[in-house]
């Protein structure tokens, strides 16, 4: 199953418009963008902690 094309995206956008209404779409988009940003920051933090974990040894200061 591939990525949705033009007609599929238009149908999805029309369904979203019907469900949420034109007035709430900017808020929904903003909330979705903020959620994606927080998710990326969380993944970045976990990745940094995972990469730093083997380098940390008892008694050694944290490498910056």
């Amino acid at each position: 199953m591939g990525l949705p094309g033009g007609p599929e995206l238009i149908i999805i956008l029309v369904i979203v418009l019907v469900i949420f209404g034109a007035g709430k779409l900017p808020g929904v988009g903003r909330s979705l963008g903020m959620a994606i940003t927080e998710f990326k920051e969380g993944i970045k933090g976990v990745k940094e902690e995972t990469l730093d974990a083997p380098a940390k040894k008892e008694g050694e200061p944290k490498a910056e």
Side-chain angles (χ1 to χ4, degrees):
M1 193 173 206
L3 296 174
E8 291 87 3
L9 287 177
I10 291 173
I11 292 171
I12 291 170
L13 290 175
V14 168
I15 292 171
V16 168
L17 183 62
V18 168
I19 292 174
F20 292 108
K24 290 190 178 184
L25 271 182
V28 170
R30 189 176 308 113
S31 297
L32 184 61
M34 289 172 50
I36 291 172
T37 302
E38 289 179 15
F39 180 76
K40 286 182 179 180
E41 289 175 357
I43 294 295
K44 182 179 177 183
V46 169
K47 190 181 288 186
E48 288 174 356
E49 288 178 8
T50 305
L51 293 176
D52 287 345
K56 290 182 184 177
K57 292 185 181 176
E58 196 172 314
E60 289 186 14
K62 180 181 177 185
E64 293 184 24

